[in-house]
Amino acid sequence: MAHIIGGVGTTHVPSIGGAIAKGKQTDEYWRPFFDMFPPVRGWLGRSKPDIAVVIYNDHGLNFFLDKMPTFAVGAAAEYRNADEGWGLPVVRSFAGDPEFSWHLIESLVADEFDIVSCQEMLVDHAFVVPMQLLYPDVDPTGAGAGWPVRVVPISVNTVQHPIPSAARCYKFGKAIGRAIRSYQQDANVLIMGTGGLSHQLEGKRAGFINKDFDRLCLDRLVDDPAALTGYSSEELVELAGSQGVELLNWLVMRGALGEHVSPVSRSYHVPISNTASAVLALAAA
Amino acid sequence: MAHIIGGVGTTHVPSIGGAIAKGKQTDEYWRPFFDMFPPVRGWLGRSKPDIAVVIYNDHGLNFFLDKMPTFAVGAAAEYRNADEGWGLPVVRSFAGDPEFSWHLIESLVADEFDIVSCQEMLVDHAFVVPMQLLYPDVDPTGAGAGWPVRVVPISVNTVQHPIPSAARCYKFGKAIGRAIRSYQQDANVLIMGTGGLSHQLEGKRAGFINKDFDRLCLDRLVDDPAALTGYSSEELVELAGSQGVELLNWLVMRGALGEHVSPVSRSYHVPISNTASAVLALAAA
Amino acid sequence: MAASKTIDGTMIFDGSVARRGYALNKLCYSFNDRANREEFLRDEGAYCAKYGLNPQQRAAIEHRNVMELLEAGGNVYYLAKFAGIFGLDVQDIGAQQTGMTKEAFSAKLMEQRT
Amino acid sequence: MAASKTIDGTMIFDGSVARRGYALNKLCYSFNDRANREEFLRDEGAYCAKYGLNPQQRAAIEHRNVMELLEAGGNVYYLAKFAGIFGLDVQDIGAQQTGMTKEAFSAKLMEQRT
Ligand SMILES: [Fe+3]
Ligand SMILES: [Fe+3]
């Protein structure tokens, strides 16, 4: 039987990929950020996930507004990264697990989630950067799939409103959890939620950060995630910033973990680029 | 306020488009089929829809298996038909109603339907043939949008399993109905559901037709559509044939009409190509 | 999951079939475009290689055999675009799969005339 | 619907904005591809015409002005691909929108350092 070991929420901004490419991890600016990860990696080393289900949002690499999914689930044997237009190195591909993916898709559709199934899917920085953060020993630009886990990318629309509500995202996460737990083959599964926390890239409010709201979100993600489902999309934009709504990816992740979790590691650092960065690792009870 | 005048269910097989292109409507083979439509057209002439919401399934023109949506909703200003590979004439484009489309999308996402929004969308024979059948006076290959209605295409995955369940489709239809009724601008809206009825194109069972089941479906679509939501996707394949599951498009249409309807016209004719053809027009109560 | 869904004479196009047939269906999907149809007709082998067809798929294309194409993971909606290249319609396809002449296949349907 | 969502200094990218900005965002989306970036740099006017930009969008592209691009319906994720052509990052964009130097914009963020 598949077993959910727990979840990791992490920031995914592209400049982290740039810092990794340039080896800046110990620079004064970057050190506090990269220092947040060793405890998470220690836990992963002990709990040995076989599969990572990565909840993220595509930023215009695989999806455009001609066909914009609310929820899209990968079902490919391999996922490639690609040029996003601003010069990040393209990282090595990721091995999928189509059988596991199709099990998720069957279960999610039976549970009345109207997902898009993707037998080809390019994964952008929001998928790639978190993998690089969790697995820094993998040479990111080497050939083939050197990553120690198979992956299922799940993309959530946090780009174009109407975005799915916090309540719907939390339910989606719960359904992903049910789907995984009903998989008959043995596998340790890690859930990742990427993006956030508070940030806003555009408009007069560019640079907006809301530490109080971020800390409240981190608290509630641990002890009472349902409390976060009361916010409307507009409230989330107001409180977390236009791009801070990527918090939804964390909420999907949290939903998959089940009622109770034990915090493994929690850290928060402002600023990384224009963003309040955070890392939260939660062991499933 | 927008007002739903009623719905039309109709077969959409490509060979109908071929018969129209060749002017075969009065040939012995085709006459019984085309004779089913005048009563429907009479009703449309009296109830004057401004907008047609067309529930259909794309057969591999706009969507491929790299990104296969469960439910996709058009939000374009114009929808073009295009070459499907087998020589049907490409028909003139259809004018959309983006404001109305976005209202539907906002409402459906708020109602927890995880739709794909499509700001560009090619429409295939499953959309085009029914429009030609309802509006035979429009020169199909003329330039521009000569069609007397604006349109919103809504595509349902009936191609790749897991397809949405009959129960989910019926709920989706109800949500479409709620969305339309909450639109503040005046408009008479027709709902169309296309495809079916029983047919199977592939395998040893190619040519399969099930008149008893078709008649039962037509009965229940009028008086008790919820009764059809008890069938699993596998049961629908068994009873209606692999491609007969296009019945789901009719069920979405029926869901949008509300509890009670008055039958305007009902007819059934076997065979058209490999298909049991049917036309059902229902006035909303 | 596929195993639970067995209906006589019917193959449900689900994830496991779609996965097997992906390259074949992608090739057929490309036939929406006339230029691709012409490229296929000019050099069938090169076109199949470009889409990464496996030997079973390549043989099924070569044989113009619908049952083989289905076995190789083809979906009938995409295969219809392949058949269209040769002017074949769904009745030709039906006849071939059921081992009938097209006339006999059509007559069998006409027997059920309402 | 858009009218109900007013947050100071913030434009919610919803259907009405997405509709207005479709051609502009499609042009920016094309910049995932190096060949397109190069084509744009070779003949900016022709490239904008090819994507059917309206005069407001064309002017905003010409001015490299983020606020104008947003007004013209641009989404910041796609616009970032346009900015990337000129080596500009989200801090450059932030500085331009808030009328600061990049140093001042970064310093304002650093003030909130945890
Ligand atoms: Fe992001
Ligand atoms: Fe069909």
Side-chain angles (χ1 to χ4, degrees):
Chain A
M1 296 286 289
H3 167 70
I4 296 174
I5 61 159
V8 173
T10 169
T11 303
H12 67 214
V13 295
S15 61
I16 302 166
I20 293 170
K22 294 182 191 121
K24 291 187 177 175
Q25 290 90 332
T26 56
D27 284 13
E28 192 192 335
Y29 183 85
W30 286 103
R31 184 193 293 273
F33 175 75
F34 283 95
D35 276 356
M36 302 198 292
F37 286 87
V40 181
R41 290 178 203 135
W43 171 63
L44 288 180
R46 293 188 298 279
S47 48
K48 299 192 193 341
D50 306 298
I51 301 176
V53 174
V54 184
I55 322 295
Y56 73 110
N57 56 299
D58 179 86
H59 299 66
L61 177 66
N62 195 63
F63 298 110
F64 182 59
L65 305 176
D66 59 334
K67 297 171 187 168
M68 190 63 179
T70 300
F71 298 134
V73 180
E78 184 187 27
Y79 302 94
R80 289 188 305 106
N81 179 222
D83 188 355
E84 293 184 59
W86 52 59
L88 274 188
V90 171
V91 314
R92 68 201 305 156
S93 64
F94 299 81
D97 186 334
E99 196 175 335
F100 178 70
S101 280
W102 280 110
H103 171 79
L104 297 190
I105 291 166
E106 290 273 358
S107 181
L108 289 169
V109 171
D111 256 355
E112 305 202 334
F113 289 85
D114 316 310
I115 55 87
V116 174
S117 63
C118 297
Q119 289 183 74
E120 280 187 78
M121 198 172 185
L122 296 173
V123 289
D124 77 357
H125 67 271
F127 180 99
V128 163
V129 163
M131 292 294 289
Q132 289 181 268
L133 288 167
L134 297 194
Y135 298 107
D137 296 336
V138 175
D139 168 16
T141 55
W147 308 100
V149 287
R150 304 188 296 283
V151 302
V152 181
I154 298 185
S155 177
V156 174
N157 171 25
T158 65
V159 173
Q160 178 182 248
H161 292 251
I163 58 178
S165 68
R168 183 64 173 169
C169 287
Y170 188 55
K171 287 180 197 171
F172 184 47
K174 286 185 171 183
I176 291 170
R178 282 193 295 277
I180 295 170
R181 282 181 215 101
S182 69
Y183 191 56
Q184 294 297 315
Q185 294 193 38
D186 287 333
N188 287 326
V189 181
L190 171 70
I191 319 290
M192 292 164 63
T194 89
L197 292 182
S198 62
H199 66 299
Q200 175 157 334
L201 301 178
E202 102 290 331
K204 285 278 173 220
R205 207 169 68 137
F208 172 75
I209 279 174
N210 186 344
K211 292 188 209 177
D212 289 340
F213 185 66
D214 288 340
R215 289 189 172 122
L216 177 139
C217 287
L218 290 169
D219 286 344
R220 291 299 87 75
L221 282 163
V222 176
D223 64 15
D224 185 15
L228 299 174
T229 64
Y231 293 104
S232 71
S233 300
E234 292 74 20
E235 286 168 336
L236 287 180
V237 169
E238 183 153 27
L239 290 165
S242 312
Q243 284 70 45
V245 299
E246 292 175 344
L247 172 69
L248 294 174
N249 302 328
W250 293 51
L251 200 53
V252 175
M253 172 274 285
R254 180 61 185 85
L257 303 185
E259 202 78 12
H260 299 291
V261 294
S262 323
V264 173
S265 172
R266 169 185 166 160
S267 36
Y268 183 69
H269 172 70
V270 174
I272 286 301
S273 181
N274 297 12
T275 303
S277 72
V279 186
L280 180 67
L282 301 168
Chain B
M1 297 286 288
H3 166 69
I4 297 174
I5 61 158
V8 172
T10 169
T11 304
H12 67 212
V13 295
S15 61
I16 301 166
I20 292 170
K22 294 181 191 121
K24 292 186 175 176
Q25 290 91 332
T26 56
D27 284 13
E28 192 194 334
Y29 182 85
W30 286 103
R31 183 193 294 273
F33 175 76
F34 284 95
D35 276 355
M36 301 197 292
F37 287 87
V40 180
R41 290 178 203 135
W43 172 63
L44 289 180
R46 292 188 299 279
S47 47
K48 299 192 193 342
D50 305 299
I51 301 175
V53 173
V54 184
I55 322 295
Y56 73 110
N57 56 299
D58 179 86
H59 298 66
L61 177 66
N62 194 64
F63 297 110
F64 182 59
L65 306 176
D66 59 333
K67 297 171 186 169
M68 189 63 178
T70 300
F71 298 134
V73 180
E78 184 186 27
Y79 302 94
R80 289 189 306 105
N81 179 220
D83 187 354
E84 293 184 59
W86 51 59
L88 273 188
V90 171
V91 313
R92 68 199 306 157
S93 63
F94 299 81
D97 186 333
E99 196 174 334
F100 179 69
S101 280
W102 281 110
H103 171 79
L104 297 189
I105 291 166
E106 291 273 358
S107 180
L108 290 168
V109 171
D111 256 355
E112 304 201 335
F113 288 85
D114 316 309
I115 55 87
V116 174
S117 62
C118 297
Q119 289 185 72
E120 279 186 80
M121 198 172 186
L122 296 173
V123 289
D124 78 357
H125 67 271
F127 180 99
V128 163
V129 163
M131 292 295 288
Q132 290 180 268
L133 287 167
L134 297 193
Y135 298 107
D137 297 335
V138 174
D139 168 15
T141 54
W147 308 101
V149 286
R150 304 187 296 282
V151 302
V152 181
I154 298 185
S155 177
V156 174
N157 171 25
T158 65
V159 173
Q160 177 182 249
H161 291 251
I163 59 178
S165 68
R168 182 65 174 169
C169 287
Y170 189 54
K171 287 180 196 170
F172 185 48
K174 286 185 171 182
I176 292 169
R178 282 193 295 276
I180 295 170
R181 282 182 215 100
S182 69
Y183 190 57
Q184 294 297 315
Q185 295 191 38
D186 286 334
N188 287 325
V189 182
L190 171 70
I191 319 289
M192 292 164 63
T194 88
L197 293 183
S198 63
H199 67 299
Q200 175 156 336
L201 301 178
E202 101 291 331
K204 286 279 173 217
R205 207 169 68 136
F208 172 76
I209 279 173
N210 185 344
K211 293 186 208 178
D212 289 340
F213 184 67
D214 289 339
R215 288 188 171 120
L216 177 138
C217 287
L218 290 169
D219 287 343
R220 291 300 87 75
L221 282 164
V222 175
D223 64 15
D224 184 15
L228 298 175
T229 64
Y231 293 104
S232 71
S233 299
E234 292 73 21
E235 286 168 335
L236 287 181
V237 170
E238 183 151 28
L239 290 164
S242 312
Q243 283 70 45
V245 298
E246 292 175 343
L247 172 69
L248 294 174
N249 302 328
W250 293 51
L251 200 53
V252 175
M253 173 274 285
R254 181 61 184 85
L257 304 185
E259 202 77 11
H260 300 292
V261 295
S262 323
V264 172
S265 171
R266 170 185 166 160
S267 36
Y268 182 70
H269 171 70
V270 174
I272 285 301
S273 182
N274 296 14
T275 303
S277 72
V279 186
L280 181 65
L282 301 168
Chain C
M1 302 216 134
S4 63
K5 306 175 195 160
T6 308
I7 298 163
D8 235 27
T10 303
M11 291 169 65
I12 289 192
F13 187 75
D14 66 5
S16 68
V17 185
R19 182 184 164 192
R20 189 165 79 228
Y22 191 76
L24 173 61
N25 289 316
K26 191 171 176 180
L27 174 137
C28 292
Y29 177 68
S30 79
F31 294 146
N32 282 322
D33 190 329
R34 172 192 293 268
N36 290 332
R37 300 195 292 270
E38 290 171 354
E39 185 182 334
F40 173 84
L41 287 171
R42 271 198 307 276
D43 188 344
E44 184 171 326
Y47 201 82
C48 291
K50 178 167 144 185
Y51 279 84
L53 264 52
N54 66 30
Q56 182 194 11
Q57 293 167 339
R58 177 68 191 98
I61 286 280
E62 197 170 337
H63 302 157
R64 277 70 168 135
N65 184 297
V66 181
M67 288 301 255
E68 290 181 35
L69 288 161
L70 293 169
E71 282 293 337
N75 174 284
V76 71
Y77 287 138
Y78 304 110
L79 296 178
K81 296 171 194 293
F82 171 61
I85 293 182
F86 308 102
L88 303 176
D89 62 24
V90 291
Q91 303 219 340
D92 293 291
I93 291 178
Q96 193 196 80
Q97 294 174 104
T98 51
M100 299 184 190
T101 62
K102 187 175 184 178
E103 291 64 37
F105 184 79
S106 299
K108 202 185 125 207
L109 281 157
M110 284 301 273
E111 274 168 27
Q112 302 187 66
R113 200 162 194 272
T114 46
Chain D
M1 304 216 135
S4 63
K5 304 176 196 159
T6 308
I7 297 163
D8 234 26
T10 303
M11 291 169 66
I12 289 192
F13 188 76
D14 65 4
S16 68
V17 185
R19 182 184 164 191
R20 188 165 81 228
Y22 191 76
L24 173 61
N25 290 315
K26 192 171 176 179
L27 174 137
C28 292
Y29 177 68
S30 79
F31 294 146
N32 282 321
D33 190 328
R34 172 192 293 268
N36 290 332
R37 300 194 292 269
E38 291 170 353
E39 186 182 332
F40 173 84
L41 287 171
R42 271 197 307 276
D43 189 344
E44 184 172 326
Y47 201 82
C48 291
K50 178 168 144 185
Y51 279 84
L53 263 52
N54 65 30
Q56 182 194 9
Q57 292 168 340
R58 177 67 191 98
I61 285 280
E62 196 170 336
H63 302 158
R64 277 71 168 137
N65 184 296
V66 182
M67 289 301 256
E68 289 182 35
L69 288 160
L70 292 169
E71 282 293 337
N75 175 284
V76 72
Y77 287 138
Y78 304 109
L79 296 178
K81 297 172 194 293
F82 171 60
I85 293 183
F86 308 101
L88 304 177
D89 62 25
V90 290
Q91 303 220 339
D92 293 292
I93 291 178
Q96 194 196 77
Q97 293 175 105
T98 52
M100 298 184 191
T101 61
K102 187 175 184 179
E103 291 64 36
F105 185 78
S106 299
K108 202 184 127 206
L109 281 157
M110 283 302 273
E111 274 168 28
Q112 302 186 66
R113 199 162 194 270
T114 46

